[in-house]
Amino acid sequence: MRLERIANVADARKIAKRTIPGVLFDYIDGAADDEATMRANTVAFDEVVFRPRVGLDVREPDMTTTVLGAKLSMPLLLAPTGLAEVMHRDGAVGAARAAASRGTICVLSTVAGSPVEQVAPAAPGSVWFQLYAGGSRSEADKLLARAEAAGVSVLVVTMDTPTLGNRERDRRHGVTPPLRLDAHNAIHLGPQVLARPLWTYRMARHGVSTLRSAQDTPLLSAARSAVAGQWLKLSGRSVPDGPRTQGHGVLRMVSSPFTWADVEHLKARWSGKLVVKGVLRGDDARISVDLGADAVIISNHGGRQLDGAPATLSVLPEVADAVGDSAEVMLDGGVRRGTHVLKAVALGARAVFIGRPFLYGLATAGQLGVEHILDLFQSEITRDMILLGCQDLAELSPTWLRVPTR
Ligand SMILES: Cc1cc2nc3c(=O)[nH]c(=O)nc-3n(C[C@H](O)[C@H](O)[C@H](O)COP(=O)(O)O)c2cc1C
């Protein structure tokens, strides 16, 4: 695939759809119930319009910023996402290296598919760790200790997953948590795998051998690798040489019922910076800050949890007001364009995260694909700032926008 032909995130999505098996594409692309919140996230950006300035000599606009003390080349980070390993063999390491190469940060998910000991050293200083509960506090503490030992200094606690959202696309593929993975599932998914020979080839070269058992054909193993092996491998217990799927097992998509008491516990336990992800209200943001969060991420999990939750941009002013200067406010969900990034920054976000866009890139061309997506954002933001008449990100404020009133 010639990356230069991918002109925007929507193109990357189309190519990803043609590259990976349907079950994986739908895992990335899908959301909860009717997927209304997922759509609303992007619509909210498009409904806000700019009030551009003319007559200014803007050249080489400055989009650098700092997030929790780290200097970033642009106000855009990679969100934590599960299963990066099965999209492309470059996996979470590739995503982290891409982020580092472009001067930004990647948040490693508890269920990404690669252990923090492998990912953090691959991109020193550019990896944060996202925590799911996945069991007891002592298990969480063990994960924290491992992240700390690997050199991670920022912990992201995801609060919006007390149970899993209703992802109907996954169910239609027979992927229902918890799924007992057996030969029947593998056979069911086999045709999808066969229909994506490039992906199957890459996976077969990279991952199947660790998952193959005596009775498996390579095809069954590839299917298993796709939907379970990597998923299962971490699922809250990311031990590098820990148990692998041995023929069949329970596919544990993670629910993570964190409470505020857990946040308090984690704050006491974690020596670095703490970020609370998944707030959608000013009062919850305030509680996070009062408990010691250094930043909050406004997020509805990309519409994958509660369908009917508000678009993240729509609650940004409320959260920014509630938090004031006491913490940094970030946002994710539906960011697909440089203009979206600038709108969020103008409304008070320090930076935004992208989830699906970088996974489309990863699925398409691994690390290079993620770098390409980051390059697209960077060049869009540059052009948009020039067109907007904005020399420096710090100039942006709500006065640069017209926000629809409802
Ligand atoms: C495939 C996929 C897996 C995800 N896995 C996680 C995860 O493991 N932990 C987490 O906190 N959020 C997870 N998220 C949510 C993202 O961190 C982020 O909130 C969301 O993707 C942002 O929306 P966007 O995809 O529209 O950019 C996941 C999202 C996707 C699309």
Side-chain angles (χ1 to χ4, degrees), residues 27-30 38 41-42 79-83 87 109-112 130-132 156 158 160-161 167 277 299-304 332-336 353-357 359:
Y27 168 71
I28 298 177
D29 199 60
M38 175 175 74
N41 278 341
T42 300
T81 61
L83 285 188
M87 304 307 162
S109 162
T110 301
V111 293
Q130 175 264 326
L131 186 70
Y132 274 139
V156 176
T158 299
D160 60 11
T161 319
R167 322 258 173 89
K277 175 173 185 271
S299 176
N300 50 37
H301 220 104
R304 296 162 79 80
D332 72 23
V335 176
R336 301 292 179 266
F353 294 77
I354 50 168
R356 295 178 184 88
L359 289 175

mmCIF file of all heavy atoms in Angstrom, residues 27-30 38 41-42 79-83 87 109-112 130-132 156 158 160-161 167 277 299-304 332-336 353-357 359, ligand 1:
data_model
loop_
_atom_site.group_PDB
_atom_site.id
_atom_site.type_symbol
_atom_site.label_atom_id
_atom_site.label_comp_id
_atom_site.label_asym_id
_atom_site.label_seq_id
_atom_site.Cartn_x
_atom_site.Cartn_y
_atom_site.Cartn_z
ATOM 1 N N TYR A 27 -14.196 -4.847 15.446
ATOM 2 C CA TYR A 27 -13.766 -4.616 16.828
ATOM 3 C C TYR A 27 -13.237 -3.183 16.979
ATOM 4 O O TYR A 27 -13.550 -2.484 17.944
ATOM 5 C CB TYR A 27 -12.692 -5.634 17.237
ATOM 6 C CG TYR A 27 -12.011 -5.264 18.539
ATOM 7 C CD1 TYR A 27 -12.688 -5.363 19.750
ATOM 8 C CD2 TYR A 27 -10.711 -4.767 18.544
ATOM 9 C CE1 TYR A 27 -12.079 -4.979 20.935
ATOM 10 C CE2 TYR A 27 -10.096 -4.390 19.722
ATOM 11 C CZ TYR A 27 -10.780 -4.492 20.919
ATOM 12 O OH TYR A 27 -10.182 -4.100 22.080
ATOM 13 N N ILE A 28 -12.466 -2.725 15.991
ATOM 14 C CA ILE A 28 -11.956 -1.351 16.051
ATOM 15 C C ILE A 28 -13.079 -0.346 15.806
ATOM 16 O O ILE A 28 -13.252 0.623 16.547
ATOM 17 C CB ILE A 28 -10.889 -1.096 14.953
ATOM 18 C CG1 ILE A 28 -9.672 -1.987 15.102
ATOM 19 C CG2 ILE A 28 -10.460 0.364 14.962
ATOM 20 C CD1 ILE A 28 -8.640 -1.791 13.973
ATOM 21 N N ASP A 29 -13.805 -0.593 14.751
ATOM 22 C CA ASP A 29 -14.690 0.420 14.180
ATOM 23 C C ASP A 29 -16.019 0.534 14.921
ATOM 24 O O ASP A 29 -16.672 1.570 14.877
ATOM 25 C CB ASP A 29 -14.951 0.016 12.714
ATOM 26 C CG ASP A 29 -15.454 1.162 11.874
ATOM 27 O OD1 ASP A 29 -14.715 2.157 11.767
ATOM 28 O OD2 ASP A 29 -16.572 1.075 11.344
ATOM 29 N N GLY A 30 -16.396 -0.523 15.603
ATOM 30 C CA GLY A 30 -17.732 -0.577 16.188
ATOM 31 C C GLY A 30 -17.837 0.166 17.502
ATOM 32 O O GLY A 30 -16.856 0.632 18.081
ATOM 33 N N MET A 38 -20.970 7.341 19.324
ATOM 34 C CA MET A 38 -19.767 7.370 18.478
ATOM 35 C C MET A 38 -19.951 8.398 17.355
ATOM 36 O O MET A 38 -19.071 9.230 17.120
ATOM 37 C CB MET A 38 -19.501 5.994 17.869
ATOM 38 C CG MET A 38 -18.336 6.017 16.888
ATOM 39 S SD MET A 38 -17.887 4.409 16.238
ATOM 40 C CE MET A 38 -19.209 4.095 15.092
ATOM 41 N N ASN A 41 -19.870 12.081 18.570
ATOM 42 C CA ASN A 41 -18.545 12.634 18.894
ATOM 43 C C ASN A 41 -18.006 13.475 17.739
ATOM 44 O O ASN A 41 -17.561 14.600 17.929
ATOM 45 C CB ASN A 41 -17.556 11.500 19.194
ATOM 46 C CG ASN A 41 -17.662 10.972 20.615
ATOM 47 O OD1 ASN A 41 -18.203 11.639 21.502
ATOM 48 N ND2 ASN A 41 -17.163 9.772 20.834
ATOM 49 N N THR A 42 -18.040 12.923 16.547
ATOM 50 C CA THR A 42 -17.487 13.654 15.387
ATOM 51 C C THR A 42 -18.424 14.773 14.946
ATOM 52 O O THR A 42 -17.980 15.876 14.605
ATOM 53 C CB THR A 42 -17.203 12.678 14.225
ATOM 54 O OG1 THR A 42 -16.256 11.711 14.690
ATOM 55 C CG2 THR A 42 -16.597 13.398 13.028
ATOM 56 N N ALA A 79 -4.416 7.187 22.127
ATOM 57 C CA ALA A 79 -5.238 6.684 23.235
ATOM 58 C C ALA A 79 -4.914 5.212 23.511
ATOM 59 O O ALA A 79 -4.441 4.492 22.621
ATOM 60 C CB ALA A 79 -6.713 6.828 22.878
ATOM 61 N N PRO A 80 -5.194 4.758 24.729
ATOM 62 C CA PRO A 80 -4.998 3.337 25.004
ATOM 63 C C PRO A 80 -6.028 2.500 24.253
ATOM 64 O O PRO A 80 -7.214 2.826 24.253
ATOM 65 C CB PRO A 80 -5.237 3.238 26.516
ATOM 66 C CG PRO A 80 -6.108 4.406 26.850
ATOM 67 C CD PRO A 80 -5.731 5.489 25.881
ATOM 68 N N THR A 81 -5.566 1.464 23.587
ATOM 69 C CA THR A 81 -6.501 0.573 22.888
ATOM 70 C C THR A 81 -6.047 -0.867 23.049
ATOM 71 O O THR A 81 -4.845 -1.149 23.044
ATOM 72 C CB THR A 81 -6.576 0.886 21.375
ATOM 73 O OG1 THR A 81 -5.281 0.705 20.820
ATOM 74 C CG2 THR A 81 -7.063 2.287 21.103
ATOM 75 N N GLY A 82 -7.016 -1.751 23.160
ATOM 76 C CA GLY A 82 -6.703 -3.160 23.295
ATOM 77 C C GLY A 82 -6.326 -3.775 21.958
ATOM 78 O O GLY A 82 -6.626 -3.235 20.898
ATOM 79 N N LEU A 83 -5.637 -4.878 22.014
ATOM 80 C CA LEU A 83 -5.438 -5.762 20.855
ATOM 81 C C LEU A 83 -4.625 -5.220 19.694
ATOM 82 O O LEU A 83 -4.778 -5.673 18.572
ATOM 83 C CB LEU A 83 -6.811 -6.179 20.293
ATOM 84 C CG LEU A 83 -7.550 -7.216 21.098
ATOM 85 C CD1 LEU A 83 -8.778 -7.682 20.331
ATOM 86 C CD2 LEU A 83 -6.663 -8.408 21.363
ATOM 87 N N MET A 87 -3.723 -6.387 15.028
ATOM 88 C CA MET A 87 -3.972 -5.562 13.845
ATOM 89 C C MET A 87 -2.778 -5.664 12.891
ATOM 90 O O MET A 87 -2.922 -5.722 11.689
ATOM 91 C CB MET A 87 -4.155 -4.093 14.237
ATOM 92 C CG MET A 87 -5.248 -3.877 15.263
ATOM 93 S SD MET A 87 -6.789 -4.614 14.735
ATOM 94 C CE MET A 87 -7.661 -4.687 16.297
ATOM 95 N N SER A 109 -2.379 0.286 26.720
ATOM 96 C CA SER A 109 -3.520 -0.301 27.434
ATOM 97 C C SER A 109 -3.090 -1.547 28.198
ATOM 98 O O SER A 109 -2.201 -2.286 27.754
ATOM 99 C CB SER A 109 -4.598 -0.688 26.414
ATOM 100 O OG SER A 109 -5.498 -1.606 26.970
ATOM 101 N N THR A 110 -3.752 -1.785 29.317
ATOM 102 C CA THR A 110 -3.549 -3.041 30.045
ATOM 103 C C THR A 110 -3.748 -4.237 29.120
ATOM 104 O O THR A 110 -3.093 -5.258 29.281
ATOM 105 C CB THR A 110 -4.573 -3.145 31.204
ATOM 106 O OG1 THR A 110 -4.412 -2.034 32.072
ATOM 107 C CG2 THR A 110 -4.401 -4.421 31.986
ATOM 108 N N VAL A 111 -4.645 -4.097 28.145
ATOM 109 C CA VAL A 111 -4.959 -5.239 27.281
ATOM 110 C C VAL A 111 -4.464 -5.042 25.841
ATOM 111 O O VAL A 111 -5.029 -5.575 24.902
ATOM 112 C CB VAL A 111 -6.479 -5.541 27.292
ATOM 113 C CG1 VAL A 111 -6.910 -6.034 28.648
ATOM 114 C CG2 VAL A 111 -7.295 -4.323 26.892
ATOM 115 N N ALA A 112 -3.378 -4.288 25.706
ATOM 116 C CA ALA A 112 -2.883 -4.008 24.348
ATOM 117 C C ALA A 112 -2.358 -5.253 23.650
ATOM 118 O O ALA A 112 -2.465 -5.395 22.447
ATOM 119 C CB ALA A 112 -1.793 -2.957 24.385
ATOM 120 N N GLN A 130 -2.078 2.625 30.895
ATOM 121 C CA GLN A 130 -3.505 2.694 31.265
ATOM 122 C C GLN A 130 -3.899 1.456 32.039
ATOM 123 O O GLN A 130 -3.600 0.338 31.639
ATOM 124 C CB GLN A 130 -4.368 2.821 30.002
ATOM 125 C CG GLN A 130 -5.872 2.787 30.257
ATOM 126 C CD GLN A 130 -6.471 1.408 30.061
ATOM 127 O OE1 GLN A 130 -6.017 0.648 29.201
ATOM 128 N NE2 GLN A 130 -7.475 1.059 30.862
ATOM 129 N N LEU A 131 -4.584 1.685 33.135
ATOM 130 C CA LEU A 131 -4.920 0.579 34.034
ATOM 131 C C LEU A 131 -6.401 0.229 33.988
ATOM 132 O O LEU A 131 -7.275 1.090 34.089
ATOM 133 C CB LEU A 131 -4.555 0.993 35.463
ATOM 134 C CG LEU A 131 -4.716 -0.098 36.522
ATOM 135 C CD1 LEU A 131 -3.664 -1.185 36.358
ATOM 136 C CD2 LEU A 131 -4.653 0.499 37.925
ATOM 137 N N TYR A 132 -6.659 -1.057 33.841
ATOM 138 C CA TYR A 132 -7.982 -1.622 34.105
ATOM 139 C C TYR A 132 -7.862 -2.416 35.393
ATOM 140 O O TYR A 132 -6.786 -2.947 35.699
ATOM 141 C CB TYR A 132 -8.385 -2.588 32.997
ATOM 142 C CG TYR A 132 -9.036 -1.969 31.793
ATOM 143 C CD1 TYR A 132 -8.700 -2.404 30.517
ATOM 144 C CD2 TYR A 132 -10.017 -0.991 31.916
ATOM 145 C CE1 TYR A 132 -9.311 -1.879 29.389
ATOM 146 C CE2 TYR A 132 -10.635 -0.463 30.791
ATOM 147 C CZ TYR A 132 -10.279 -0.907 29.536
ATOM 148 O OH TYR A 132 -10.886 -0.387 28.424
ATOM 149 N N VAL A 156 -2.811 6.175 33.691
ATOM 150 C CA VAL A 156 -4.160 6.574 33.272
ATOM 151 C C VAL A 156 -5.141 5.543 33.809
ATOM 152 O O VAL A 156 -5.022 4.351 33.510
ATOM 153 C CB VAL A 156 -4.246 6.641 31.727
ATOM 154 C CG1 VAL A 156 -5.663 6.966 31.283
ATOM 155 C CG2 VAL A 156 -3.250 7.655 31.172
ATOM 156 N N THR A 158 -8.825 4.185 33.821
ATOM 157 C CA THR A 158 -10.066 4.266 33.038
ATOM 158 C C THR A 158 -11.259 3.943 33.926
ATOM 159 O O THR A 158 -11.349 2.857 34.500
ATOM 160 C CB THR A 158 -10.000 3.296 31.840
ATOM 161 O OG1 THR A 158 -8.895 3.694 31.005
ATOM 162 C CG2 THR A 158 -11.273 3.338 31.028
ATOM 163 N N ASP A 160 -14.664 4.364 33.009
ATOM 164 C CA ASP A 160 -15.986 4.242 32.371
ATOM 165 C C ASP A 160 -16.320 2.818 31.951
ATOM 166 O O ASP A 160 -17.121 2.580 31.062
ATOM 167 C CB ASP A 160 -16.067 5.181 31.159
ATOM 168 C CG ASP A 160 -15.010 4.863 30.099
ATOM 169 O OD1 ASP A 160 -14.347 3.808 30.197
ATOM 170 O OD2 ASP A 160 -14.835 5.665 29.163
ATOM 171 N N THR A 161 -15.687 1.850 32.601
ATOM 172 C CA THR A 161 -15.885 0.467 32.165
ATOM 173 C C THR A 161 -16.310 -0.438 33.329
ATOM 174 O O THR A 161 -15.713 -1.495 33.543
ATOM 175 C CB THR A 161 -14.579 -0.060 31.506
ATOM 176 O OG1 THR A 161 -14.026 0.982 30.688
ATOM 177 C CG2 THR A 161 -14.824 -1.260 30.624
ATOM 178 N N ARG A 167 -21.474 -4.282 22.429
ATOM 179 C CA ARG A 167 -20.878 -4.141 21.093
ATOM 180 C C ARG A 167 -21.496 -5.191 20.168
ATOM 181 O O ARG A 167 -21.044 -6.336 20.137
ATOM 182 C CB ARG A 167 -19.366 -4.326 21.160
ATOM 183 C CG ARG A 167 -18.720 -3.723 22.395
ATOM 184 C CD ARG A 167 -18.031 -2.421 22.142
ATOM 185 N NE ARG A 167 -17.592 -1.849 23.411
ATOM 186 C CZ ARG A 167 -16.421 -2.090 24.001
ATOM 187 N NH1 ARG A 167 -15.550 -2.898 23.421
ATOM 188 N NH2 ARG A 167 -16.103 -1.512 25.153
ATOM 189 N N LYS A 277 -9.447 8.864 33.341
ATOM 190 C CA LYS A 277 -10.030 8.839 31.985
ATOM 191 C C LYS A 277 -11.485 8.382 32.044
ATOM 192 O O LYS A 277 -11.796 7.395 32.715
ATOM 193 C CB LYS A 277 -9.231 7.861 31.111
ATOM 194 C CG LYS A 277 -9.798 7.632 29.708
ATOM 195 C CD LYS A 277 -8.849 6.787 28.876
ATOM 196 C CE LYS A 277 -9.306 6.636 27.438
ATOM 197 N NZ LYS A 277 -10.194 5.502 27.209
ATOM 198 N N SER A 299 -13.995 11.487 28.145
ATOM 199 C CA SER A 299 -14.058 10.369 27.196
ATOM 200 C C SER A 299 -15.336 9.579 27.404
ATOM 201 O O SER A 299 -15.773 9.379 28.537
ATOM 202 C CB SER A 299 -12.853 9.434 27.403
ATOM 203 O OG SER A 299 -12.940 8.302 26.558
ATOM 204 N N ASN A 300 -15.937 9.160 26.302
ATOM 205 C CA ASN A 300 -17.015 8.168 26.396
ATOM 206 C C ASN A 300 -16.542 6.852 25.760
ATOM 207 O O ASN A 300 -17.347 6.090 25.253
ATOM 208 C CB ASN A 300 -18.307 8.689 25.761
ATOM 209 C CG ASN A 300 -18.078 9.239 24.358
ATOM 210 O OD1 ASN A 300 -17.269 8.696 23.586
ATOM 211 N ND2 ASN A 300 -18.779 10.308 24.001
ATOM 212 N N HIS A 301 -15.226 6.649 25.782
ATOM 213 C CA HIS A 301 -14.626 5.418 25.274
ATOM 214 C C HIS A 301 -14.909 5.273 23.767
ATOM 215 O O HIS A 301 -15.079 4.177 23.247
ATOM 216 C CB HIS A 301 -15.207 4.214 26.033
ATOM 217 C CG HIS A 301 -14.201 3.155 26.373
ATOM 218 N ND1 HIS A 301 -13.686 2.996 27.639
ATOM 219 C CD2 HIS A 301 -13.640 2.173 25.630
ATOM 220 C CE1 HIS A 301 -12.862 1.960 27.644
ATOM 221 N NE2 HIS A 301 -12.812 1.449 26.431
ATOM 222 N N GLY A 302 -14.953 6.410 23.092
ATOM 223 C CA GLY A 302 -15.254 6.358 21.657
ATOM 224 C C GLY A 302 -16.636 5.808 21.369
ATOM 225 O O GLY A 302 -16.866 5.222 20.298
ATOM 226 N N GLY A 303 -17.589 6.020 22.305
ATOM 227 C CA GLY A 303 -18.954 5.528 22.102
ATOM 228 C C GLY A 303 -19.089 4.032 22.311
ATOM 229 O O GLY A 303 -20.101 3.438 21.939
ATOM 230 N N ARG A 304 -18.100 3.415 22.906
ATOM 231 C CA ARG A 304 -18.110 1.957 23.039
ATOM 232 C C ARG A 304 -18.737 1.489 24.344
ATOM 233 O O ARG A 304 -18.896 0.295 24.554
ATOM 234 C CB ARG A 304 -16.671 1.422 22.955
ATOM 235 C CG ARG A 304 -16.034 1.679 21.615
ATOM 236 C CD ARG A 304 -14.524 1.563 21.684
ATOM 237 N NE ARG A 304 -14.033 0.200 21.664
ATOM 238 C CZ ARG A 304 -13.897 -0.540 20.572
ATOM 239 N NH1 ARG A 304 -14.268 -0.047 19.419
ATOM 240 N NH2 ARG A 304 -13.398 -1.760 20.641
ATOM 241 N N ASP A 332 -10.995 12.821 24.335
ATOM 242 C CA ASP A 332 -10.915 11.967 23.144
ATOM 243 C C ASP A 332 -12.308 11.633 22.656
ATOM 244 O O ASP A 332 -13.296 11.921 23.303
ATOM 245 C CB ASP A 332 -10.070 10.708 23.396
ATOM 246 C CG ASP A 332 -10.747 9.671 24.295
ATOM 247 O OD1 ASP A 332 -11.990 9.665 24.406
ATOM 248 O OD2 ASP A 332 -10.015 8.851 24.877
ATOM 249 N N GLY A 333 -12.347 11.035 21.450
ATOM 250 C CA GLY A 333 -13.616 10.625 20.868
ATOM 251 C C GLY A 333 -13.956 11.423 19.625
ATOM 252 O O GLY A 333 -14.255 12.614 19.697
ATOM 253 N N GLY A 334 -13.859 10.773 18.477
ATOM 254 C CA GLY A 334 -14.326 11.384 17.239
ATOM 255 C C GLY A 334 -13.371 12.353 16.575
ATOM 256 O O GLY A 334 -13.720 12.975 15.576
ATOM 257 N N VAL A 335 -12.160 12.482 17.105
ATOM 258 C CA VAL A 335 -11.186 13.404 16.504
ATOM 259 C C VAL A 335 -10.667 12.781 15.207
ATOM 260 O O VAL A 335 -10.014 11.741 15.221
ATOM 261 C CB VAL A 335 -10.006 13.653 17.470
ATOM 262 C CG1 VAL A 335 -8.944 14.520 16.807
ATOM 263 C CG2 VAL A 335 -10.505 14.281 18.769
ATOM 264 N N ARG A 336 -10.974 13.396 14.088
ATOM 265 C CA ARG A 336 -10.579 12.836 12.794
ATOM 266 C C ARG A 336 -9.834 13.828 11.909
ATOM 267 O O ARG A 336 -9.360 13.460 10.834
ATOM 268 C CB ARG A 336 -11.836 12.359 12.018
ATOM 269 C CG ARG A 336 -12.661 11.307 12.744
ATOM 270 C CD ARG A 336 -11.902 9.989 12.855
ATOM 271 N NE ARG A 336 -12.655 8.968 13.565
ATOM 272 C CZ ARG A 336 -12.551 8.724 14.868
ATOM 273 N NH1 ARG A 336 -11.720 9.439 15.633
ATOM 274 N NH2 ARG A 336 -13.255 7.758 15.437
ATOM 275 N N PHE A 353 -6.736 12.969 22.279
ATOM 276 C CA PHE A 353 -6.235 11.633 21.950
ATOM 277 C C PHE A 353 -6.994 11.101 20.744
ATOM 278 O O PHE A 353 -8.164 11.409 20.566
ATOM 279 C CB PHE A 353 -6.490 10.657 23.108
ATOM 280 C CG PHE A 353 -5.717 10.962 24.348
ATOM 281 C CD1 PHE A 353 -6.111 11.991 25.196
ATOM 282 C CD2 PHE A 353 -4.608 10.206 24.693
ATOM 283 C CE1 PHE A 353 -5.406 12.269 26.358
ATOM 284 C CE2 PHE A 353 -3.889 10.473 25.846
ATOM 285 C CZ PHE A 353 -4.291 11.508 26.685
ATOM 286 N N ILE A 354 -6.311 10.277 19.968
ATOM 287 C CA ILE A 354 -7.007 9.533 18.916
ATOM 288 C C ILE A 354 -6.910 8.044 19.218
ATOM 289 O O ILE A 354 -5.863 7.555 19.650
ATOM 290 C CB ILE A 354 -6.454 9.826 17.506
ATOM 291 C CG1 ILE A 354 -4.916 9.692 17.477
ATOM 292 C CG2 ILE A 354 -6.909 11.186 17.001
ATOM 293 C CD1 ILE A 354 -4.321 9.684 16.074
ATOM 294 N N GLY A 355 -8.012 7.339 18.979
ATOM 295 C CA GLY A 355 -8.032 5.885 19.151
ATOM 296 C C GLY A 355 -8.093 5.201 17.792
ATOM 297 O O GLY A 355 -7.067 4.803 17.217
ATOM 298 N N ARG A 356 -9.301 5.145 17.237
ATOM 299 C CA ARG A 356 -9.463 4.436 15.962
ATOM 300 C C ARG A 356 -8.538 4.950 14.854
ATOM 301 O O ARG A 356 -7.994 4.130 14.097
ATOM 302 C CB ARG A 356 -10.927 4.505 15.516
ATOM 303 C CG ARG A 356 -11.876 3.759 16.456
ATOM 304 C CD ARG A 356 -13.313 3.903 15.988
ATOM 305 N NE ARG A 356 -14.269 3.295 16.885
ATOM 306 C CZ ARG A 356 -14.819 3.926 17.914
ATOM 307 N NH1 ARG A 356 -14.486 5.169 18.200
ATOM 308 N NH2 ARG A 356 -15.704 3.302 18.677
ATOM 309 N N PRO A 357 -8.365 6.257 14.710
ATOM 310 C CA PRO A 357 -7.524 6.701 13.579
ATOM 311 C C PRO A 357 -6.144 6.043 13.556
ATOM 312 O O PRO A 357 -5.658 5.631 12.503
ATOM 313 C CB PRO A 357 -7.415 8.217 13.808
ATOM 314 C CG PRO A 357 -8.689 8.566 14.486
ATOM 315 C CD PRO A 357 -8.971 7.396 15.409
ATOM 316 N N LEU A 359 -5.348 3.208 14.971
ATOM 317 C CA LEU A 359 -5.494 1.761 14.735
ATOM 318 C C LEU A 359 -5.718 1.465 13.258
ATOM 319 O O LEU A 359 -5.235 0.449 12.735
ATOM 320 C CB LEU A 359 -6.653 1.198 15.573
ATOM 321 C CG LEU A 359 -6.396 1.118 17.075
ATOM 322 C CD1 LEU A 359 -7.652 0.670 17.810
ATOM 323 C CD2 LEU A 359 -5.237 0.165 17.400
HETATM 324 C C1 LIG B 1 -10.386 -0.931 19.496
HETATM 325 C C2 LIG B 1 -10.413 -0.070 20.703
HETATM 326 C C3 LIG B 1 -9.922 -0.561 21.893
HETATM 327 C C4 LIG B 1 -9.933 0.251 23.040
HETATM 328 N N1 LIG B 1 -9.379 -0.227 24.180
HETATM 329 C C5 LIG B 1 -9.287 0.601 25.258
HETATM 330 C C6 LIG B 1 -8.574 0.179 26.408
HETATM 331 O O1 LIG B 1 -8.018 -0.909 26.461
HETATM 332 N N2 LIG B 1 -8.526 1.040 27.465
HETATM 333 C C7 LIG B 1 -9.122 2.280 27.433
HETATM 334 O O2 LIG B 1 -9.047 3.026 28.413
HETATM 335 N N3 LIG B 1 -9.779 2.700 26.329
HETATM 336 C C8 LIG B 1 -9.860 1.899 25.253
HETATM 337 N N4 LIG B 1 -10.474 2.341 24.118
HETATM 338 C C9 LIG B 1 -11.006 3.710 24.077
HETATM 339 C C10 LIG B 1 -9.932 4.679 23.601
HETATM 340 O O3 LIG B 1 -8.933 4.831 24.577
HETATM 341 C C11 LIG B 1 -10.514 6.064 23.306
HETATM 342 O O4 LIG B 1 -11.238 6.500 24.417
HETATM 343 C C12 LIG B 1 -11.408 6.081 22.069
HETATM 344 O O5 LIG B 1 -10.936 5.204 21.082
HETATM 345 C C13 LIG B 1 -11.470 7.491 21.500
HETATM 346 O O6 LIG B 1 -12.344 7.551 20.450
HETATM 347 P P1 LIG B 1 -11.904 7.467 18.897
HETATM 348 O O7 LIG B 1 -11.646 6.026 18.626
HETATM 349 O O8 LIG B 1 -13.117 7.984 18.200
HETATM 350 O O9 LIG B 1 -10.686 8.319 18.710
HETATM 351 C C14 LIG B 1 -10.488 1.557 22.982
HETATM 352 C C15 LIG B 1 -10.972 2.039 21.770
HETATM 353 C C16 LIG B 1 -10.929 1.246 20.638
HETATM 354 C C17 LIG B 1 -11.441 1.815 19.346
#
